Amino acid sequence: MTINVAIDGPSGAGKSTIARAVAKQLGYVYVDTGALYRTVGWAAISRGLAADDEAAVSALLPAIQVDLTYKNGEQVVLLDGQDVSREIRLPESSMAASAVSALPPVRAFLLDTQRSLAAKHNVLMDGRDIGTVVLPNAQVKIFLTASPEIRARRRYDELVAKGVECDYETVLAELKQRDYNDSHRPIAPLKPAPDSHMLDTSDMTLQEAIDAVCRLVSRAVD
Ligand code: DC
């Protein structure tokens, strides 16, 4: 049996940075499920579709192929065989991801990909509904949070470091909007699983957060 660790929480809580580091330390595969939703969002908007148009996005799904591969230990998402790692980090892809992620056909489309990875490998999977829907039997569930201002600052710094032009106030407003969308949608809303460990990283350094997650995982699987 594989070991599955579910890490959920709002965007910018540090999920991907922390999960990637912990996965490396423990020798698990890191799965960033947000990248899958971003890829569907990008597929929609790059074809001129409105990301919240359920009929149009549903019709698109059978025509696209979304795959995860690993290059030098880093996850790479492929849309129809093309590496779209850069495109899916654009602010417009963030909003499109949030919109498509509210559509039931999109969630169903990505469910198999996520579950089959978890069945094959020891994974640290991060997302919004991993502990509640995708991997309800995960051995460890962690819900990571931080204040909206701190999360927006982290996201802003990340985008600037990647050379993406943006301003902090817009990043904060979009993050609050996405928090609202993600936690109020009727299907698989962002919420902690009842058996998850809550971890607020607002006042933690990155290393402290990594150590805290490693401790939770080690305690549960030893
Ligand atoms: O984690 P992220 O910011 O890359 O996620 C992008 C969007 O995808 C986010 O608005 C919520 C959605 N998402 C989701 O609904 N379920 C997941 N498991 C992961 C992400």
Side-chain angles (χ1 to χ4, degrees):
M1 197 175 69
T2 56
I3 296 169
N4 295 170
V5 180
I7 302 193
D8 291 301
S11 54
K15 293 187 305 288
S16 59
T17 315
I18 294 166
R20 186 180 288 115
V22 174
K24 202 169 193 179
Q25 201 159 315
L26 302 178
Y28 292 12
V29 172
Y30 165 59
V31 183
D32 166 10
T33 64
L36 298 170
Y37 290 93
R38 287 170 178 273
T39 302
V40 175
W42 169 251
I45 58 173
S46 62
R47 284 162 175 78
L49 305 177
D52 59 355
D53 181 339
E54 180 161 350
V57 175
S58 299
L60 172 70
L61 295 175
I64 59 171
Q65 174 127 13
V66 177
D67 292 305
L68 285 186
T69 59
Y70 290 83
K71 225 189 249 169
N72 305 323
E74 285 296 311
Q75 175 183 301
V76 174
V77 262
L78 302 176
L79 173 60
D80 299 328
Q82 298 283 317
D83 181 350
V84 288
S85 307
R86 187 183 149 72
E87 291 82 350
I88 64 166
R89 297 297 154 194
L90 296 170
E92 54 267 39
S93 293
S94 303
M95 292 312 277
S98 183
V100 297
S101 72
L103 306 176
V106 172
R107 303 206 73 86
F109 176 73
L110 296 177
L111 194 58
D112 274 358
T113 311
Q114 298 171 78
R115 286 194 177 151
S116 61
L117 280 165
K120 278 191 224 122
H121 310 279
N122 292 337
V123 293
L124 248 103
M125 189 173 283
D126 90 34
R128 302 295 189 287
D129 61 337
I130 309 304
T132 51
V133 176
V134 180
L135 306 176
N137 298 322
Q139 290 90 336
V140 190
K141 299 181 185 179
I142 299 170
F143 197 84
L144 276 184
T145 54
S147 72
E149 288 72 20
I150 287 187
R151 291 188 284 118
R153 171 62 57 191
R154 291 175 184 165
R155 182 67 85 191
Y156 172 81
D157 290 345
E158 228 174 71
L159 289 168
V160 169
K162 284 187 185 143
V164 177
E165 235 175 85
C166 57
D167 78 288
Y168 170 77
E169 290 305 326
T170 309
V171 172
L172 177 61
E174 289 188 355
L175 179 136
K176 285 185 172 168
Q177 182 63 50
R178 284 208 290 143
D179 279 0
Y180 184 88
N181 294 350
D182 295 346
S183 48
H184 287 81
R185 65 181 177 218
I187 175 169
L190 169 66
K191 65 163 192 242
D195 51 348
S196 59
H197 301 275
M198 301 295 290
L199 197 63
D200 187 328
T201 66
S202 299
D203 299 318
M204 288 186 185
T205 63
L206 178 59
Q207 193 56 50
E208 285 168 344
I210 292 169
D211 291 345
V213 171
C214 272
R215 266 198 307 276
L216 287 171
V217 177
S218 307
R219 232 176 26 214
V221 302
D222 275 353

